[in-house]
Amino acid sequence: MGTKENQNKRQEPLFVTSVQRSMQILEAFDSNNRNLSLSDLVKTTGLNRSAVQRFLYTLESLGYLKKDQSTKRFGLTPKVMSLGYNYLKGERLVEIATPLLLEARKRTGNAVYLGTLYETDIIYLVRLPQRFLLLESTLPGRRVPAFCSGRAILAHLPDQEVEDLLRRSSMEKITPFTIVDIKGNMDEVDKARKQGYVISSQEQLIGEIAISSAVVGRTGTPLAAVYVSVNFSEWSIEKIKAELVPVVIEVAGSIGAQF
């Protein structure tokens, strides 16, 4: 939900501000901030100290946070994982896509992902690494900027929606190869519309080329994108087009045909 839409929601009589603030507390914990003190959370959330204390006490009582008695710092508990599990377990898109993604990994011998657009990010719902390299390469739920990672999906949205997303995005260089200007990104989106796929070279990670194609339902709505990730030093663009692009397009089409 974008900033403007968030503000509109807050003005509605059914909007519960206390729930929003409790979620601010939970969302403050990320890979860079795994353990936070009361003062850290006051600074991060902008809430007053008394409110943060109450939310911390409640979330700890409910089992979503734990407190280290020696450091007085808080961290998430495994209970938060149940929310993500329940979503993935009940999501038809994940159920249908997973066996097709497993087959794609077998056919290509490379890492295969499924990502969906949320706000200005792509969230990976399924991640099947080629081999275990880093822990985060195996975990679903990772968010990456859509402006450089979601062009296959953006290609199925109207120009105005794409431009609005780009303007709301914090377009910062992730690598020296990341395209960060609006015109450059719009040109890449237009290219994706014409080709039906995207080849992104080292924009998200040095040494990686990502090939993606959108999963589109029968109504034309983009639901997600299928990604195959390969090593830059091992694959030429010509080889990618010949061997991987057809697989990515086929798998994305097979998933979309069921919606």
Side-chain angles (χ1 to χ4, degrees):
M1 189 183 296
T3 303
K4 184 175 181 180
E5 190 175 348
N6 270 324
Q7 292 172 345
N8 292 336
K9 287 288 186 184
R10 291 171 192 153
Q11 296 171 2
E12 294 181 1
L14 292 177
F15 189 88
V16 182
T17 303
S18 60
V19 175
Q20 178 211 10
R21 291 174 177 171
S22 65
M23 295 308 298
Q24 280 184 264
I25 298 293
L26 289 177
E27 290 175 353
F29 295 90
D30 56 29
S31 59
N32 297 317
N33 299 288
R34 297 180 181 179
N35 296 284
L36 296 169
S37 67
L38 172 61
S39 297
D40 292 333
L41 286 161
V42 170
K43 182 178 179 180
T44 301
T45 63
L47 301 174
N48 66 61
R49 190 178 186 87
S50 176
V52 172
Q53 283 181 312
R54 294 196 301 274
F55 289 125
L56 286 174
Y57 178 81
T58 302
L59 290 168
E60 184 183 9
S61 299
L62 292 173
Y64 290 103
L65 293 179
K66 63 180 183 297
K67 183 179 181 180
D68 187 313
Q69 295 302 323
S70 61
T71 65
K72 307 302 180 184
R73 300 176 76 84
F74 293 83
L76 299 175
T77 73
K79 187 175 181 179
V80 301
M81 294 178 63
S82 64
L83 299 176
Y85 172 81
N86 290 336
Y87 167 76
L88 293 173
K89 180 67 175 175
E91 177 54 50
R92 183 166 174 259
L93 176 63
V94 173
E95 179 184 0
I96 289 172
T98 298
L100 294 168
L101 297 173
L102 285 166
E103 180 62 24
R105 182 177 65 174
K106 182 179 179 180
R107 290 169 63 186
T108 65
N110 287 282
V112 179
Y113 305 148
L114 180 76
T116 192
L117 180 65
Y118 182 74
E119 296 183 340
T120 59
D121 291 332
I122 294 296
I123 298 182
Y124 292 127
L125 303 180
V126 181
R127 306 187 76 187
L128 303 174
Q130 175 187 8
R131 52 186 177 271
F132 187 86
L133 298 177
L134 296 171
L135 174 62
E136 72 167 2
S137 70
T138 69
L139 300 176
R142 184 187 179 196
R143 295 177 69 148
V144 293
F147 79 89
C148 61
S149 302
R151 292 177 186 136
I153 295 177
L154 299 184
H156 291 270
L157 299 177
D159 274 352
Q160 188 57 50
E161 285 189 33
V162 178
E163 290 182 9
D164 178 62
L165 181 145
L166 294 177
R167 295 185 192 283
R168 289 186 288 111
S169 300
S170 177
M171 291 197 291
E172 299 176 355
K173 277 191 174 292
I174 302 172
T175 77
F177 303 98
T178 309
I179 299 172
V180 294
D181 62 289
I182 290 179
K183 183 182 183 304
N185 275 281
M186 290 300 295
D187 288 345
E188 292 299 313
V189 169
D190 189 53
K191 185 190 299 183
R193 287 180 180 138
K194 295 173 182 176
Q195 296 180 155
Y197 64 89
V198 174
I199 298 176
S200 177
S201 181
Q202 303 192 94
E203 286 197 69
Q204 296 93 43
L205 182 68
I206 293 293
E208 176 193 68
I209 300 178
I211 307 95
S212 58
S213 184
V215 174
V216 182
R218 292 187 181 92
T219 63
T221 302
L223 306 173
V226 172
Y227 298 81
V228 171
S229 172
V230 301
N231 192 304
F232 178 83
S233 64
E234 297 174 358
W235 288 79
S236 67
I237 297 299
E238 291 74 20
K239 186 180 179 183
I240 287 172
K241 289 181 178 180
E243 299 182 19
L244 299 181
V245 166
V247 176
V248 174
I249 292 176
E250 177 189 335
V251 173
S254 296
I255 299 170
Q258 301 188 55
F259 289 90

